[in-house]
Each structure stands twice: as C-alpha cells, then as structure tokens.
C-alpha cells in the first residue's frame, strides 16, 4: 500500500513539474527580462543609421534623410509620395517597380536609395502627363496594353528603356552577334521585356504598343 501511495505521489509531482515548466516557457521574453532586470530584446536593438541623399527625380532635385536600408522603391513611394511605381513581389522578379536611372531601367525594389545619390531617376509620373502623354503611354492606351493596370507603370518604363537599349546597340540574350548592333525586332523586344510580368496576360497588346512606337510590324 505504501508503495502504491509513493507511486501516486511521484506521478502527481511529475505532472505539477511539467505544468510549471510549460508555464515558464509561455512567459514572453520581455516579461522575463523585466522580472530579472535584464534588457529586453527590443531595447538591445540599435537605432537605424540615417543618411542624407539627393536624387533628381523627374527633373526635380529632392533631398532626403533616410534609413540606410531604405530601397529606392520605398523612397519613391513612401517618402516622395510617387505611388505610380508599384511594389509587386519586392524581390526583383515581377518588374512592377521598374524605373529608369541615368537612362537605364532597374528594379527599384532591389536597389538602396543611398546608392543613387545624385542620380537621375525617371518614374512613370515623369514620362508624361494626362494632358500630354508619352508616346509609349498613348500606345498602351490605344492597344489596351493593360487590364488591372498594376504592372503597367513598370511595363511602360521598361518598354521605353528597351527601345533605347536597342538603339544604343546594347546586346541581349537573343542577339546573334555581340559585336553587331542588335536589330529592332519582335524577338529582341520579347526577350528584353521578359522580366516584366503581367498577371492579366495582356502580352500581345503590350507587344503591339511597343512595336508601334518602335516603328516595326509585329
């Protein structure tokens, strides 16, 4: 009988110990830190490093003081309130954030704003106005090169830069000879625009708009 009582007590003690351990594990780290007087994880996090940078955006000089981790995309959207440039995947895979920097298109989500101090940045707002559309913007409207419209600003910026790349003789993966100026062709345009994703599938209309502005037949 004594052996059985000892066994029950041992089991009870085991359950109590287990419950106490589970409760301790559930206490937030901040509460434990407060009870022990130790610094919380939040208090140990260093403040952001700020830096001044100057961009020329759509022809205007813009001075900003930013967290050094701020992407060019967030600087444009959140700090300069230029919401035309869209945040899609935020990983450089969809092209919705494409802008033109010093004449070359880039994915602004993958580039830090402080890397572009003094650079010329052109967003969709800088290509044209509702009263005077850029030829590429007008062609997109004419050929219905958009559906939901979310990817359209990046598509248009990329399309404008694509035609400039071909005119400048910059080769692509489908250029037959890297030493020969690439032809303004449908194949070249498709390859160079492949980084801009349209989830609505308006690719044929987008191609029609670009080829019209480029002066070739699709």
């Amino acid at each position: 009988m004594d052996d059985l009582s000892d066994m029950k007590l041992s089991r009870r003690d085991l359950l109590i110990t287990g419950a106490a351990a589970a409760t301790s594990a559930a206490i937030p780290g901040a509460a434990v830190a407060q009870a022990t007087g130790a610094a919380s994880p939040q208090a140990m996090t260093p403040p952001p490093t700020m830096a001044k940078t100057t961009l020329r955006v759509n022809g205007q000089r813009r001075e900003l003081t930013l967290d050094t981790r701020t992407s060019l995309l967030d600087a444009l959207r959140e700090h300069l309130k230029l919401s035309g440039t869209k945040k899609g995947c935020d990983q450089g895979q969809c092209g919705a954030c494409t802008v033109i920097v010093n004449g070359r298109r880039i994915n602004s989500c993958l580039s830090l704003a402080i890397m572009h101090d003094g650079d010329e940045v052109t967003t969709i707002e800088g290509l044209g106005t509702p009263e005077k559309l850029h030829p590429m913007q007008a062609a997109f409207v004419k050929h219905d090169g958009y559906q939901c419209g979310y990817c359209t600003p990046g598509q248009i910026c990329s399309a404008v830069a694509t035609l400039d790349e071909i005119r400048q003789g910059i080769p692509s993966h489908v250029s037959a000879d890297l030493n020969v100026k690439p032809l303004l062709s449908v194949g070249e345009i498709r390859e160079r625009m492949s980084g801009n994703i349209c989830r609505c599938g308006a690719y044929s209309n987008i191609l029609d708009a670009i080829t019209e502005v480029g002066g070739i037949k699709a």
Side-chain angles (χ1 to χ4, degrees):
M1 191 68 176
D2 291 340
D3 292 340
L4 183 59
S5 298
D6 291 341
M7 184 179 297
K8 289 181 179 179
L9 287 173
S10 298
R11 183 180 180 187
R12 182 169 176 245
D13 291 341
L14 178 62
L15 292 174
I16 291 173
T17 302
T23 303
S24 298
I27 297 176
V32 174
Q34 184 177 3
T36 60
S40 66
Q42 291 80 2
M44 296 172 63
T45 302
T49 301
M50 308 300 288
K52 292 184 178 181
T53 188
T54 301
L55 306 173
R56 286 195 59 83
V57 182
N58 300 328
Q60 295 184 356
R61 178 185 173 90
R62 308 299 296 268
E63 295 183 354
L64 298 168
T65 300
L66 302 169
D67 183 333
T68 54
R69 299 167 295 182
T70 303
S71 68
L72 178 59
L73 172 60
D74 286 340
L76 294 171
R77 287 182 57 84
E78 306 301 331
H79 296 268
L80 298 179
K81 306 304 178 184
L82 294 171
S83 58
T85 305
K86 303 305 182 187
K87 178 177 285 193
C89 66
D90 210 22
Q91 298 178 1
Q93 297 181 6
C94 72
C97 68
T98 303
V99 297
I100 303 172
V101 178
N102 296 334
R104 298 294 299 273
R105 56 188 169 137
I106 68 168
N107 291 325
S108 58
C109 73
L110 295 183
S111 190
L112 296 176
I114 61 171
M115 296 168 58
H116 298 286
D117 187 55
D119 285 353
E120 295 277 351
V121 181
T122 303
T123 70
I124 189 67
E125 292 92 344
L127 286 179
T129 66
E131 296 76 23
K132 187 178 181 181
L133 296 176
H134 184 280
M136 190 65 73
Q137 292 172 316
F140 265 67
V141 173
K142 175 183 176 181
H143 292 281
D144 195 21
Y146 54 87
Q147 289 184 35
C148 78
Y150 196 83
C151 73
T152 306
Q155 296 275 4
I156 291 176
C157 286
S158 191
V160 170
T162 284
L163 294 182
D164 286 340
E165 289 171 10
I166 296 174
R167 294 188 185 105
Q168 293 172 29
I170 300 172
S172 75
H173 288 293
V174 296
S175 299
D177 188 341
L178 299 182
N179 296 314
V180 176
K181 185 176 180 178
L183 297 175
L184 182 58
S185 66
V186 171
E188 282 285 350
I189 292 173
R190 283 176 172 164
E191 165 62 25
R192 293 169 192 263
M193 291 295 297
S194 62
N196 290 81
I197 306 302
C198 173
R199 289 173 175 83
C200 298
Y203 294 113
S204 60
N205 296 353
I206 291 170
L207 183 62
D208 289 343
I210 299 172
T211 55
E212 178 179 293
V213 176
I216 62 175
K217 294 183 179 180

